[in-house]
Amino acid sequence: MAEQKDNAVVVIGLGRFGTALALELVEREVEVLGIDSNPRIVQGLAGSLTHVVAADSTELEVLQQLGVDEFRRAVVGIGTDMEASILTTSLLTDLGVPDIWAKAINRQHARILHRIGAHHVVQPEHDTGKRVAHLVTGRMLDYIEFEDGFALVKTAAPTWAEGRSLAESQIRSRYGVTVVCVKRRGEDFTYATADTVINPDDLLIVAGKSGKAERFANLT
Ligand code: ADP
């Protein structure tokens, strides 16, 4: 195998998910090889990605010719065509790509992708649906949950904490959460310390067990 491309990603399947991901990588100055079987999609992205090719990713020879085995990272953005998604992912495993990300459209699909060697499986609609459920019912402005039930929450500062420092309001001992960052109106987020005083209209980033972080965010 040739020397692996470290700062490059091959993105296979340039639907809504794959295209958004590929364009974001380019924005972050990562070299991207985009592959999609639909020539219209490929034409539309020519000039926006580093390289973009119309090809069927379920053919081993095609992937070899495109040098996919030289990449350290690959993302399979094919979802709807589950057979193509599974075949492509297993070929990437056979080619020894060390870091394979794949998109699944349901739980069974996700399980198969894990089984055949995908290192990371995402379910964008399922994951976003879960996240939005936390946002629509309360005062949280953003919510990220990690595997072990730990969450980061963005929320407006509760009015009862205004005018007091974090040490004075004893948020950690009373609510079991840590205020990580505070943002004053018109300013950037800054790291919070025990002396940080909460002002009206401040935004907070709070870390803690998801139930506790959510409960804290819903206090007014
Ligand atoms: P999204 O919901 O993100 O739009 P889709 O699953 O609908 O995702 O889109 C997947 C993309 O993958 C489509 O653009 C489709 O042309 C492409 N695709 C499907 N099968 C193959 C294949 N065998 N080889 C390469 N690209 C493929």
Side-chain angles (χ1 to χ4, degrees):
M1 195 189 294
E3 197 181 320
Q4 284 184 332
K5 290 171 185 269
D6 275 344
N7 188 32
V9 179
V10 57
V11 181
I12 302 174
L14 298 165
R16 291 162 301 174
F17 173 81
T19 295
L21 184 132
L23 291 173
E24 187 69 19
L25 288 170
V26 168
E27 183 79 22
R28 294 177 48 216
E29 299 184 356
V30 176
E31 193 184 317
V32 174
L33 166 62
I35 302 174
D36 198 289
S37 51
N38 183 338
R40 212 162 31 86
I41 289 187
V42 168
Q43 210 172 4
L45 285 167
S48 302
L49 305 184
T50 325
H51 311 280
V52 58
V53 181
D56 181 355
S57 60
T58 62
E59 305 275 346
L60 177 64
E61 304 78 52
V62 167
L63 297 181
Q64 283 170 327
Q65 275 165 18
L66 292 171
V68 168
D69 55 340
E70 292 169 26
F71 284 77
R72 258 196 61 71
R73 296 192 177 84
V75 181
V76 182
I78 305 170
T80 319
D81 186 344
M82 214 185 274
E83 190 179 325
S85 147
I86 292 166
L87 278 171
T88 302
T89 305
S90 71
L91 289 177
L92 293 175
T93 315
D94 293 346
L95 288 171
V97 175
D99 201 18
I100 303 169
W101 293 72
K103 178 183 95 168
I105 55 169
N106 58 41
R107 219 149 36 124
Q108 289 85 345
H109 187 192
R111 199 175 314 131
I112 295 168
L113 292 171
H114 272 302
R115 280 261 169 90
I116 60 174
H119 305 98
H120 312 271
V121 177
V122 291
Q123 281 182 256
E125 296 193 334
H126 170 264
D127 299 346
T128 305
K130 272 184 73 166
R131 201 168 72 82
V132 172
H134 289 273
L135 300 178
V136 289
T137 51
R139 295 176 68 238
M140 288 185 290
L141 302 169
D142 214 340
Y143 179 87
I144 305 167
E145 186 171 327
F146 302 97
E147 279 152 44
D148 50 359
F150 192 82
L152 271 183
V153 168
K154 178 175 158 192
T155 182
T159 45
W160 59 264
E162 286 170 9
R164 291 195 250 174
S165 71
L166 292 174
E168 284 165 345
S169 49
Q170 296 190 310
I171 288 173
R172 190 178 295 161
S173 55
R174 286 166 69 184
Y175 300 100
V177 298
T178 300
V179 177
V180 186
C181 294
V182 177
K183 180 177 166 38
R184 309 237 180 282
R185 193 199 283 258
E187 293 179 20
D188 289 335
F189 271 107
T190 53
Y191 292 112
T193 67
D195 303 326
T196 303
V197 174
I198 302 289
N199 289 333
D201 297 329
D202 280 357
L203 293 178
L204 311 180
I205 302 287
V206 176
K209 285 277 178 196
S210 37
K212 288 188 172 166
E214 197 161 346
R215 220 166 298 130
F216 175 79
N218 289 327
L219 296 168
T220 46

